[in-house]
Amino acid sequence: GQQVMQIPQYQHVQEGEDFTTYCNSSTTLSNIQWYKQRPGGHPVFLIQLVKSGEVKKQKRLTFQFGEAKKNSSLHITATQTTDVGTYFCAGATSGSRLTFGEGTQLTVNP
Amino acid sequence: DAGITQSPRHKVTETGTPVTLRCHQTENHRYMYWYRQDPGHGLRLIHYSYGVKDTDKGEVSDGYSVSRSKTEDFLLTLESATSSQTSVYFCATSTSLETQYFGPGTRLLVL
């Protein structure tokens, strides 16, 4: 079945440093989504990427979808303590449900 | 998000007892999901539903059953709870097979 791998599993940064998490799928995806889960909270949808090579930005967050539509990344510039949480990617193939990666847990030291 | 509630929010039970978790949504979303979340394993799909009385297994369905008699309610039952089922359980809904909206979660401890 479809697998979505996400690295790293954990990332510790100093406030102000950049952060990147990577997502790789075993199959070509129709779209990829990113979710954020704050400590003690539930996953919340951030964004969806659909097109090959697509890049989207949300303030300090930059999301990329690979040319082959099998990988994606989330980059946070100049992290803040409010960025703390676990970031999940989730991939979908046409006609099938989402498959979630295992998530990257980000901690930010002030 | 999407008017999703879960009950109970916290539960402590003993091994061997049956447990039912409830997910209720007010958005009339067609699809509903049950996940469990454990450290190091991310979100693992237990069961999902694509309509009233239409359900299917996810990747970790052993020991769990589900029912959906109404669009708004999706029940997850642990027939005989075991300590390995101690986890945080999330319900989610979606209008298609894609973007999902999660409930607040239920923390279950099986002693």
Side-chain angles (χ1 to χ4, degrees), chain B residues 28-61:
Chain B
N28 201 34
H29 286 179
R30 175 183 175 187
Y31 297 89
M32 298 187 75
Y33 311 81
W34 276 108
Y35 292 90
R36 61 177 290 174
Q37 185 173 37
D38 307 287
H41 291 279
L43 293 162
R44 292 186 291 176
L45 182 67
I46 305 171
H47 282 279
Y48 67 102
S49 169
Y50 44 95
V52 173
K53 296 186 179 180
D54 290 324
T55 64
D56 206 349
K57 295 179 180 180
E59 58 183 306
V60 290
S61 59

PDB file of all heavy atoms in Angstrom, chain B residues 28-61:
ATOM      1  N   ASN B  28     -22.467  17.676   8.382  1.00  0.00           N
ATOM      2  CA  ASN B  28     -23.018  16.806   7.344  1.00  0.00           C
ATOM      3  C   ASN B  28     -21.936  16.279   6.392  1.00  0.00           C
ATOM      4  O   ASN B  28     -22.181  16.056   5.198  1.00  0.00           O
ATOM      5  CB  ASN B  28     -24.103  17.530   6.531  1.00  0.00           C
ATOM      6  CG  ASN B  28     -25.041  16.572   5.826  1.00  0.00           C
ATOM      7  OD1 ASN B  28     -25.349  15.500   6.338  1.00  0.00           O
ATOM      8  ND2 ASN B  28     -25.487  16.950   4.648  1.00  0.00           N
ATOM      9  N   HIS B  29     -20.722  16.084   6.921  1.00  0.00           N
ATOM     10  CA  HIS B  29     -19.658  15.519   6.097  1.00  0.00           C
ATOM     11  C   HIS B  29     -19.915  14.043   5.859  1.00  0.00           C
ATOM     12  O   HIS B  29     -20.335  13.307   6.760  1.00  0.00           O
ATOM     13  CB  HIS B  29     -18.308  15.702   6.792  1.00  0.00           C
ATOM     14  CG  HIS B  29     -17.826  17.114   6.745  1.00  0.00           C
ATOM     15  ND1 HIS B  29     -16.647  17.519   7.330  1.00  0.00           N
ATOM     16  CD2 HIS B  29     -18.345  18.218   6.160  1.00  0.00           C
ATOM     17  CE1 HIS B  29     -16.471  18.810   7.120  1.00  0.00           C
ATOM     18  NE2 HIS B  29     -17.502  19.255   6.414  1.00  0.00           N
ATOM     19  N   ARG B  30     -19.614  13.618   4.654  1.00  0.00           N
ATOM     20  CA  ARG B  30     -19.903  12.235   4.272  1.00  0.00           C
ATOM     21  C   ARG B  30     -18.950  11.238   4.941  1.00  0.00           C
ATOM     22  O   ARG B  30     -19.343  10.163   5.362  1.00  0.00           O
ATOM     23  CB  ARG B  30     -19.791  12.081   2.749  1.00  0.00           C
ATOM     24  CG  ARG B  30     -19.969  10.651   2.273  1.00  0.00           C
ATOM     25  CD  ARG B  30     -19.772  10.514   0.773  1.00  0.00           C
ATOM     26  NE  ARG B  30     -19.832   9.112   0.367  1.00  0.00           N
ATOM     27  CZ  ARG B  30     -19.557   8.692  -0.855  1.00  0.00           C
ATOM     28  NH1 ARG B  30     -19.213   9.552  -1.788  1.00  0.00           N
ATOM     29  NH2 ARG B  30     -19.628   7.405  -1.138  1.00  0.00           N
ATOM     30  N   TYR B  31     -17.663  11.601   4.993  1.00  0.00           N
ATOM     31  CA  TYR B  31     -16.652  10.668   5.473  1.00  0.00           C
ATOM     32  C   TYR B  31     -16.300  10.939   6.938  1.00  0.00           C
ATOM     33  O   TYR B  31     -16.179  12.087   7.366  1.00  0.00           O
ATOM     34  CB  TYR B  31     -15.369  10.783   4.638  1.00  0.00           C
ATOM     35  CG  TYR B  31     -15.550  10.417   3.197  1.00  0.00           C
ATOM     36  CD1 TYR B  31     -15.920  11.376   2.259  1.00  0.00           C
ATOM     37  CD2 TYR B  31     -15.340   9.112   2.764  1.00  0.00           C
ATOM     38  CE1 TYR B  31     -16.089  11.040   0.927  1.00  0.00           C
ATOM     39  CE2 TYR B  31     -15.503   8.775   1.437  1.00  0.00           C
ATOM     40  CZ  TYR B  31     -15.877   9.741   0.522  1.00  0.00           C
ATOM     41  OH  TYR B  31     -16.049   9.399  -0.789  1.00  0.00           O
ATOM     42  N   MET B  32     -16.122   9.862   7.683  1.00  0.00           N
ATOM     43  CA  MET B  32     -15.673   9.968   9.070  1.00  0.00           C
ATOM     44  C   MET B  32     -14.608   8.917   9.334  1.00  0.00           C
ATOM     45  O   MET B  32     -14.631   7.834   8.724  1.00  0.00           O
ATOM     46  CB  MET B  32     -16.852   9.811  10.037  1.00  0.00           C
ATOM     47  CG  MET B  32     -17.921  10.906   9.879  1.00  0.00           C
ATOM     48  SD  MET B  32     -19.213  10.857  11.118  1.00  0.00           S
ATOM     49  CE  MET B  32     -18.370  11.523  12.556  1.00  0.00           C
ATOM     50  N   TYR B  33     -13.686   9.258  10.228  1.00  0.00           N
ATOM     51  CA  TYR B  33     -12.510   8.421  10.457  1.00  0.00           C
ATOM     52  C   TYR B  33     -12.244   8.307  11.955  1.00  0.00           C
ATOM     53  O   TYR B  33     -12.494   9.237  12.713  1.00  0.00           O
ATOM     54  CB  TYR B  33     -11.270   9.040   9.803  1.00  0.00           C
ATOM     55  CG  TYR B  33     -11.439   9.466   8.366  1.00  0.00           C
ATOM     56  CD1 TYR B  33     -12.042  10.689   8.044  1.00  0.00           C
ATOM     57  CD2 TYR B  33     -10.990   8.669   7.318  1.00  0.00           C
ATOM     58  CE1 TYR B  33     -12.195  11.095   6.733  1.00  0.00           C
ATOM     59  CE2 TYR B  33     -11.135   9.069   6.002  1.00  0.00           C
ATOM     60  CZ  TYR B  33     -11.740  10.281   5.716  1.00  0.00           C
ATOM     61  OH  TYR B  33     -11.889  10.677   4.416  1.00  0.00           O
ATOM     62  N   TRP B  34     -11.662   7.194  12.343  1.00  0.00           N
ATOM     63  CA  TRP B  34     -11.107   7.051  13.680  1.00  0.00           C
ATOM     64  C   TRP B  34      -9.621   6.737  13.557  1.00  0.00           C
ATOM     65  O   TRP B  34      -9.233   5.815  12.841  1.00  0.00           O
ATOM     66  CB  TRP B  34     -11.782   5.914  14.456  1.00  0.00           C
ATOM     67  CG  TRP B  34     -13.055   6.300  15.125  1.00  0.00           C
ATOM     68  CD1 TRP B  34     -14.321   5.951  14.774  1.00  0.00           C
ATOM     69  CD2 TRP B  34     -13.185   7.122  16.290  1.00  0.00           C
ATOM     70  NE1 TRP B  34     -15.229   6.508  15.635  1.00  0.00           N
ATOM     71  CE2 TRP B  34     -14.562   7.225  16.577  1.00  0.00           C
ATOM     72  CE3 TRP B  34     -12.276   7.779  17.129  1.00  0.00           C
ATOM     73  CZ2 TRP B  34     -15.040   7.957  17.660  1.00  0.00           C
ATOM     74  CZ3 TRP B  34     -12.757   8.506  18.192  1.00  0.00           C
ATOM     75  CH2 TRP B  34     -14.125   8.593  18.454  1.00  0.00           C
ATOM     76  N   TYR B  35      -8.804   7.533  14.273  1.00  0.00           N
ATOM     77  CA  TYR B  35      -7.370   7.326  14.328  1.00  0.00           C
ATOM     78  C   TYR B  35      -6.965   7.109  15.788  1.00  0.00           C
ATOM     79  O   TYR B  35      -7.615   7.586  16.710  1.00  0.00           O
ATOM     80  CB  TYR B  35      -6.614   8.568  13.846  1.00  0.00           C
ATOM     81  CG  TYR B  35      -6.749   8.893  12.388  1.00  0.00           C
ATOM     82  CD1 TYR B  35      -7.767   9.724  11.921  1.00  0.00           C
ATOM     83  CD2 TYR B  35      -5.834   8.398  11.462  1.00  0.00           C
ATOM     84  CE1 TYR B  35      -7.871  10.041  10.583  1.00  0.00           C
ATOM     85  CE2 TYR B  35      -5.935   8.710  10.114  1.00  0.00           C
ATOM     86  CZ  TYR B  35      -6.952   9.533   9.690  1.00  0.00           C
ATOM     87  OH  TYR B  35      -7.045   9.851   8.353  1.00  0.00           O
ATOM     88  N   ARG B  36      -5.821   6.458  15.953  1.00  0.00           N
ATOM     89  CA  ARG B  36      -5.177   6.462  17.231  1.00  0.00           C
ATOM     90  C   ARG B  36      -3.799   7.089  17.062  1.00  0.00           C
ATOM     91  O   ARG B  36      -3.167   6.959  15.994  1.00  0.00           O
ATOM     92  CB  ARG B  36      -5.072   5.066  17.846  1.00  0.00           C
ATOM     93  CG  ARG B  36      -4.292   4.043  17.068  1.00  0.00           C
ATOM     94  CD  ARG B  36      -4.215   2.719  17.824  1.00  0.00           C
ATOM     95  NE  ARG B  36      -3.359   2.819  19.011  1.00  0.00           N
ATOM     96  CZ  ARG B  36      -3.205   1.848  19.908  1.00  0.00           C
ATOM     97  NH1 ARG B  36      -3.846   0.704  19.768  1.00  0.00           N
ATOM     98  NH2 ARG B  36      -2.414   2.014  20.958  1.00  0.00           N
ATOM     99  N   GLN B  37      -3.364   7.784  18.101  1.00  0.00           N
ATOM    100  CA  GLN B  37      -2.066   8.437  18.049  1.00  0.00           C
ATOM    101  C   GLN B  37      -1.232   7.996  19.238  1.00  0.00           C
ATOM    102  O   GLN B  37      -1.628   8.165  20.392  1.00  0.00           O
ATOM    103  CB  GLN B  37      -2.211   9.964  18.063  1.00  0.00           C
ATOM    104  CG  GLN B  37      -0.887  10.683  17.882  1.00  0.00           C
ATOM    105  CD  GLN B  37      -1.043  12.173  17.737  1.00  0.00           C
ATOM    106  OE1 GLN B  37      -1.890  12.792  18.373  1.00  0.00           O
ATOM    107  NE2 GLN B  37      -0.224  12.768  16.885  1.00  0.00           N
ATOM    108  N   ASP B  38      -0.088   7.436  18.931  1.00  0.00           N
ATOM    109  CA  ASP B  38       0.851   6.972  19.940  1.00  0.00           C
ATOM    110  C   ASP B  38       2.222   7.536  19.634  1.00  0.00           C
ATOM    111  O   ASP B  38       2.564   7.747  18.466  1.00  0.00           O
ATOM    112  CB  ASP B  38       0.919   5.439  19.945  1.00  0.00           C
ATOM    113  CG  ASP B  38      -0.441   4.800  20.080  1.00  0.00           C
ATOM    114  OD1 ASP B  38      -0.986   4.851  21.187  1.00  0.00           O
ATOM    115  OD2 ASP B  38      -0.966   4.274  19.078  1.00  0.00           O
ATOM    116  N   PRO B  39       3.028   7.769  20.655  1.00  0.00           N
ATOM    117  CA  PRO B  39       4.381   8.315  20.434  1.00  0.00           C
ATOM    118  C   PRO B  39       5.158   7.468  19.436  1.00  0.00           C
ATOM    119  O   PRO B  39       5.217   6.243  19.554  1.00  0.00           O
ATOM    120  CB  PRO B  39       5.003   8.254  21.829  1.00  0.00           C
ATOM    121  CG  PRO B  39       3.846   8.316  22.769  1.00  0.00           C
ATOM    122  CD  PRO B  39       2.737   7.575  22.086  1.00  0.00           C
ATOM    123  N   GLY B  40       5.752   8.123  18.453  1.00  0.00           N
ATOM    124  CA  GLY B  40       6.565   7.424  17.475  1.00  0.00           C
ATOM    125  C   GLY B  40       5.804   6.769  16.348  1.00  0.00           C
ATOM    126  O   GLY B  40       6.413   6.180  15.447  1.00  0.00           O
ATOM    127  N   HIS B  41       4.477   6.849  16.381  1.00  0.00           N
ATOM    128  CA  HIS B  41       3.671   6.194  15.343  1.00  0.00           C
ATOM    129  C   HIS B  41       2.773   7.157  14.578  1.00  0.00           C
ATOM    130  O   HIS B  41       2.045   6.741  13.687  1.00  0.00           O
ATOM    131  CB  HIS B  41       2.810   5.091  15.955  1.00  0.00           C
ATOM    132  CG  HIS B  41       3.587   3.929  16.446  1.00  0.00           C
ATOM    133  ND1 HIS B  41       4.049   2.917  15.620  1.00  0.00           N
ATOM    134  CD2 HIS B  41       4.011   3.611  17.685  1.00  0.00           C
ATOM    135  CE1 HIS B  41       4.708   2.029  16.340  1.00  0.00           C
ATOM    136  NE2 HIS B  41       4.700   2.421  17.585  1.00  0.00           N
ATOM    137  N   GLY B  42       2.771   8.397  14.905  1.00  0.00           N
ATOM    138  CA  GLY B  42       1.927   9.346  14.191  1.00  0.00           C
ATOM    139  C   GLY B  42       0.456   9.008  14.329  1.00  0.00           C
ATOM    140  O   GLY B  42       0.006   8.525  15.372  1.00  0.00           O
ATOM    141  N   LEU B  43      -0.287   9.227  13.267  1.00  0.00           N
ATOM    142  CA  LEU B  43      -1.719   8.955  13.232  1.00  0.00           C
ATOM    143  C   LEU B  43      -1.951   7.663  12.465  1.00  0.00           C
ATOM    144  O   LEU B  43      -1.601   7.567  11.290  1.00  0.00           O
ATOM    145  CB  LEU B  43      -2.455  10.102  12.542  1.00  0.00           C
ATOM    146  CG  LEU B  43      -2.442  11.435  13.268  1.00  0.00           C
ATOM    147  CD1 LEU B  43      -2.791  12.563  12.309  1.00  0.00           C
ATOM    148  CD2 LEU B  43      -3.419  11.413  14.437  1.00  0.00           C
ATOM    149  N   ARG B  44      -2.540   6.704  13.110  1.00  0.00           N
ATOM    150  CA  ARG B  44      -2.824   5.433  12.448  1.00  0.00           C
ATOM    151  C   ARG B  44      -4.326   5.236  12.327  1.00  0.00           C
ATOM    152  O   ARG B  44      -5.060   5.330  13.313  1.00  0.00           O
ATOM    153  CB  ARG B  44      -2.179   4.277  13.214  1.00  0.00           C
ATOM    154  CG  ARG B  44      -0.664   4.284  13.170  1.00  0.00           C
ATOM    155  CD  ARG B  44      -0.059   3.052  13.817  1.00  0.00           C
ATOM    156  NE  ARG B  44      -0.251   3.043  15.267  1.00  0.00           N
ATOM    157  CZ  ARG B  44       0.116   2.048  16.057  1.00  0.00           C
ATOM    158  NH1 ARG B  44       0.659   0.964  15.533  1.00  0.00           N
ATOM    159  NH2 ARG B  44      -0.079   2.134  17.363  1.00  0.00           N
ATOM    160  N   LEU B  45      -4.768   4.928  11.138  1.00  0.00           N
ATOM    161  CA  LEU B  45      -6.195   4.804  10.858  1.00  0.00           C
ATOM    162  C   LEU B  45      -6.732   3.478  11.375  1.00  0.00           C
ATOM    163  O   LEU B  45      -6.191   2.409  11.066  1.00  0.00           O
ATOM    164  CB  LEU B  45      -6.439   4.925   9.355  1.00  0.00           C
ATOM    165  CG  LEU B  45      -7.887   4.870   8.898  1.00  0.00           C
ATOM    166  CD1 LEU B  45      -8.652   6.104   9.404  1.00  0.00           C
ATOM    167  CD2 LEU B  45      -7.968   4.788   7.380  1.00  0.00           C
ATOM    168  N   ILE B  46      -7.813   3.545  12.141  1.00  0.00           N
ATOM    169  CA  ILE B  46      -8.426   2.342  12.692  1.00  0.00           C
ATOM    170  C   ILE B  46      -9.548   1.855  11.776  1.00  0.00           C
ATOM    171  O   ILE B  46      -9.537   0.721  11.296  1.00  0.00           O
ATOM    172  CB  ILE B  46      -8.989   2.617  14.102  1.00  0.00           C
ATOM    173  CG1 ILE B  46      -7.899   3.177  15.020  1.00  0.00           C
ATOM    174  CG2 ILE B  46      -9.579   1.334  14.700  1.00  0.00           C
ATOM    175  CD1 ILE B  46      -8.423   3.672  16.352  1.00  0.00           C
ATOM    176  N   HIS B  47     -10.539   2.696  11.587  1.00  0.00           N
ATOM    177  CA  HIS B  47     -11.663   2.426  10.682  1.00  0.00           C
ATOM    178  C   HIS B  47     -12.110   3.746  10.078  1.00  0.00           C
ATOM    179  O   HIS B  47     -11.853   4.807  10.633  1.00  0.00           O
ATOM    180  CB  HIS B  47     -12.855   1.839  11.445  1.00  0.00           C
ATOM    181  CG  HIS B  47     -12.754   0.399  11.806  1.00  0.00           C
ATOM    182  ND1 HIS B  47     -13.028  -0.628  10.929  1.00  0.00           N
ATOM    183  CD2 HIS B  47     -12.431  -0.183  12.982  1.00  0.00           C
ATOM    184  CE1 HIS B  47     -12.877  -1.790  11.558  1.00  0.00           C
ATOM    185  NE2 HIS B  47     -12.518  -1.560  12.797  1.00  0.00           N
ATOM    186  N   TYR B  48     -12.809   3.655   8.976  1.00  0.00           N
ATOM    187  CA  TYR B  48     -13.421   4.851   8.427  1.00  0.00           C
ATOM    188  C   TYR B  48     -14.784   4.515   7.849  1.00  0.00           C
ATOM    189  O   TYR B  48     -15.116   3.332   7.645  1.00  0.00           O
ATOM    190  CB  TYR B  48     -12.521   5.523   7.384  1.00  0.00           C
ATOM    191  CG  TYR B  48     -12.292   4.750   6.117  1.00  0.00           C
ATOM    192  CD1 TYR B  48     -12.973   5.066   4.948  1.00  0.00           C
ATOM    193  CD2 TYR B  48     -11.355   3.723   6.082  1.00  0.00           C
ATOM    194  CE1 TYR B  48     -12.743   4.370   3.783  1.00  0.00           C
ATOM    195  CE2 TYR B  48     -11.121   3.022   4.918  1.00  0.00           C
ATOM    196  CZ  TYR B  48     -11.802   3.348   3.771  1.00  0.00           C
ATOM    197  OH  TYR B  48     -11.568   2.655   2.618  1.00  0.00           O
ATOM    198  N   SER B  49     -15.547   5.559   7.595  1.00  0.00           N
ATOM    199  CA  SER B  49     -16.892   5.382   7.064  1.00  0.00           C
ATOM    200  C   SER B  49     -17.079   6.315   5.877  1.00  0.00           C
ATOM    201  O   SER B  49     -16.684   7.482   5.920  1.00  0.00           O
ATOM    202  CB  SER B  49     -17.933   5.707   8.136  1.00  0.00           C
ATOM    203  OG  SER B  49     -19.225   5.787   7.573  1.00  0.00           O
ATOM    204  N   TYR B  50     -17.708   5.804   4.837  1.00  0.00           N
ATOM    205  CA  TYR B  50     -17.979   6.621   3.652  1.00  0.00           C
ATOM    206  C   TYR B  50     -19.475   6.838   3.453  1.00  0.00           C
ATOM    207  O   TYR B  50     -19.919   7.227   2.369  1.00  0.00           O
ATOM    208  CB  TYR B  50     -17.330   6.020   2.401  1.00  0.00           C
ATOM    209  CG  TYR B  50     -17.496   4.531   2.253  1.00  0.00           C
ATOM    210  CD1 TYR B  50     -18.536   3.999   1.494  1.00  0.00           C
ATOM    211  CD2 TYR B  50     -16.609   3.658   2.861  1.00  0.00           C
ATOM    212  CE1 TYR B  50     -18.689   2.637   1.356  1.00  0.00           C
ATOM    213  CE2 TYR B  50     -16.752   2.277   2.730  1.00  0.00           C
ATOM    214  CZ  TYR B  50     -17.792   1.769   1.977  1.00  0.00           C
ATOM    215  OH  TYR B  50     -17.939   0.413   1.843  1.00  0.00           O
ATOM    216  N   GLY B  51     -20.233   6.579   4.492  1.00  0.00           N
ATOM    217  CA  GLY B  51     -21.655   6.848   4.471  1.00  0.00           C
ATOM    218  C   GLY B  51     -22.334   6.068   5.576  1.00  0.00           C
ATOM    219  O   GLY B  51     -21.714   5.223   6.246  1.00  0.00           O
ATOM    220  N   VAL B  52     -23.613   6.343   5.767  1.00  0.00           N
ATOM    221  CA  VAL B  52     -24.368   5.637   6.795  1.00  0.00           C
ATOM    222  C   VAL B  52     -24.318   4.138   6.532  1.00  0.00           C
ATOM    223  O   VAL B  52     -24.599   3.688   5.416  1.00  0.00           O
ATOM    224  CB  VAL B  52     -25.823   6.135   6.835  1.00  0.00           C
ATOM    225  CG1 VAL B  52     -26.661   5.289   7.793  1.00  0.00           C
ATOM    226  CG2 VAL B  52     -25.864   7.599   7.252  1.00  0.00           C
ATOM    227  N   LYS B  53     -23.909   3.412   7.536  1.00  0.00           N
ATOM    228  CA  LYS B  53     -23.804   1.941   7.517  1.00  0.00           C
ATOM    229  C   LYS B  53     -22.725   1.432   6.559  1.00  0.00           C
ATOM    230  O   LYS B  53     -22.632   0.223   6.332  1.00  0.00           O
ATOM    231  CB  LYS B  53     -25.153   1.300   7.199  1.00  0.00           C
ATOM    232  CG  LYS B  53     -26.213   1.576   8.257  1.00  0.00           C
ATOM    233  CD  LYS B  53     -27.494   0.819   8.008  1.00  0.00           C
ATOM    234  CE  LYS B  53     -28.497   1.129   9.118  1.00  0.00           C
ATOM    235  NZ  LYS B  53     -29.779   0.415   8.921  1.00  0.00           N
ATOM    236  N   ASP B  54     -21.914   2.321   6.010  1.00  0.00           N
ATOM    237  CA  ASP B  54     -20.814   1.929   5.131  1.00  0.00           C
ATOM    238  C   ASP B  54     -19.496   2.216   5.828  1.00  0.00           C
ATOM    239  O   ASP B  54     -19.125   3.382   6.015  1.00  0.00           O
ATOM    240  CB  ASP B  54     -20.864   2.703   3.813  1.00  0.00           C
ATOM    241  CG  ASP B  54     -22.029   2.279   2.950  1.00  0.00           C
ATOM    242  OD1 ASP B  54     -22.366   1.080   2.957  1.00  0.00           O
ATOM    243  OD2 ASP B  54     -22.599   3.155   2.267  1.00  0.00           O
ATOM    244  N   THR B  55     -18.806   1.150   6.216  1.00  0.00           N
ATOM    245  CA  THR B  55     -17.544   1.327   6.916  1.00  0.00           C
ATOM    246  C   THR B  55     -16.500   0.395   6.327  1.00  0.00           C
ATOM    247  O   THR B  55     -16.825  -0.592   5.651  1.00  0.00           O
ATOM    248  CB  THR B  55     -17.687   1.036   8.427  1.00  0.00           C
ATOM    249  OG1 THR B  55     -18.023  -0.344   8.609  1.00  0.00           O
ATOM    250  CG2 THR B  55     -18.752   1.915   9.061  1.00  0.00           C
ATOM    251  N   ASP B  56     -15.229   0.703   6.636  1.00  0.00           N
ATOM    252  CA  ASP B  56     -14.149  -0.138   6.146  1.00  0.00           C
ATOM    253  C   ASP B  56     -13.006  -0.088   7.141  1.00  0.00           C
ATOM    254  O   ASP B  56     -12.909   0.837   7.954  1.00  0.00           O
ATOM    255  CB  ASP B  56     -13.676   0.319   4.768  1.00  0.00           C
ATOM    256  CG  ASP B  56     -13.046  -0.813   3.973  1.00  0.00           C
ATOM    257  OD1 ASP B  56     -12.779  -1.892   4.559  1.00  0.00           O
ATOM    258  OD2 ASP B  56     -12.806  -0.629   2.766  1.00  0.00           O
ATOM    259  N   LYS B  57     -12.134  -1.094   7.056  1.00  0.00           N
ATOM    260  CA  LYS B  57     -11.038  -1.188   7.993  1.00  0.00           C
ATOM    261  C   LYS B  57      -9.877  -0.303   7.577  1.00  0.00           C
ATOM    262  O   LYS B  57      -9.614  -0.111   6.388  1.00  0.00           O
ATOM    263  CB  LYS B  57     -10.556  -2.644   8.088  1.00  0.00           C
ATOM    264  CG  LYS B  57     -11.581  -3.591   8.674  1.00  0.00           C
ATOM    265  CD  LYS B  57     -11.035  -5.008   8.712  1.00  0.00           C
ATOM    266  CE  LYS B  57     -12.065  -5.970   9.311  1.00  0.00           C
ATOM    267  NZ  LYS B  57     -11.534  -7.359   9.361  1.00  0.00           N
ATOM    268  N   GLY B  58      -9.155   0.177   8.601  1.00  0.00           N
ATOM    269  CA  GLY B  58      -7.911   0.869   8.364  1.00  0.00           C
ATOM    270  C   GLY B  58      -6.741  -0.045   8.648  1.00  0.00           C
ATOM    271  O   GLY B  58      -6.871  -1.275   8.635  1.00  0.00           O
ATOM    272  N   GLU B  59      -5.602   0.525   8.945  1.00  0.00           N
ATOM    273  CA  GLU B  59      -4.387  -0.270   9.100  1.00  0.00           C
ATOM    274  C   GLU B  59      -4.253  -0.947  10.461  1.00  0.00           C
ATOM    275  O   GLU B  59      -3.484  -1.891  10.607  1.00  0.00           O
ATOM    276  CB  GLU B  59      -3.160   0.607   8.845  1.00  0.00           C
ATOM    277  CG  GLU B  59      -3.084   1.824   9.760  1.00  0.00           C
ATOM    278  CD  GLU B  59      -1.900   2.731   9.443  1.00  0.00           C
ATOM    279  OE1 GLU B  59      -0.774   2.226   9.414  1.00  0.00           O
ATOM    280  OE2 GLU B  59      -2.142   3.945   9.231  1.00  0.00           O
ATOM    281  N   VAL B  60      -4.998  -0.493  11.473  1.00  0.00           N
ATOM    282  CA  VAL B  60      -4.881  -1.079  12.815  1.00  0.00           C
ATOM    283  C   VAL B  60      -6.266  -1.380  13.377  1.00  0.00           C
ATOM    284  O   VAL B  60      -6.622  -0.946  14.467  1.00  0.00           O
ATOM    285  CB  VAL B  60      -4.075  -0.158  13.763  1.00  0.00           C
ATOM    286  CG1 VAL B  60      -2.613  -0.130  13.368  1.00  0.00           C
ATOM    287  CG2 VAL B  60      -4.668   1.243  13.806  1.00  0.00           C
ATOM    288  N   SER B  61      -7.044  -2.164  12.666  1.00  0.00           N
ATOM    289  CA  SER B  61      -8.442  -2.382  13.027  1.00  0.00           C
ATOM    290  C   SER B  61      -8.668  -3.527  14.020  1.00  0.00           C
ATOM    291  O   SER B  61      -9.760  -3.619  14.606  1.00  0.00           O
ATOM    292  CB  SER B  61      -9.263  -2.640  11.769  1.00  0.00           C
ATOM    293  OG  SER B  61      -8.756  -3.774  11.088  1.00  0.00           O
TER     294      SER B  61
END
